[in-house]
Amino acid sequence: DKVPANIDGTQEARLSDGEFVVPADVVGHLGNGNSNSGAEQLYSMMDRVRKARTGNAQQGKQINSSNMLPA
């Protein structure tokens, strides 16, 4: 969470490198005017991408990489 951002110039937000925000109007457009439906479409897309890439629709759990690397 090192990339500073703001919401409507009034509320601070922090993003990690590689994260992005989809504007509300675009989310609504994806749902044919319904933001909830648009959000469902985006979540479904994320699931499909993860499943295609990793075989699992869920985001991978965090691991302690020092336990995985040789000494």
Side-chain angles (χ1 to χ4, degrees):
D1 297 341
K2 296 181 180 179
V3 179
N6 69 69
I7 301 169
D8 294 330
T10 60
Q11 183 177 349
E12 181 180 350
R14 293 280 180 170
L15 302 173
S16 292
D17 187 33
E19 290 181 332
F20 61 92
V21 175
V22 178
D25 68 314
V26 174
V27 176
H29 295 325
L30 288 171
N32 291 318
N34 183 305
S35 294
N36 290 332
S37 179
E40 287 178 20
Q41 295 291 326
L42 288 170
Y43 282 121
S44 178
M45 177 209 55
M46 290 188 303
D47 289 346
R48 289 192 308 273
V49 169
R50 285 181 177 137
K51 181 119 177 130
R53 184 71 177 166
T54 67
N56 187 347
Q58 301 301 312
Q59 183 174 3
K61 64 179 181 178
Q62 289 188 335
I63 62 168
N64 185 338
S65 60
S66 63
N67 291 339
M68 306 296 160
L69 299 171

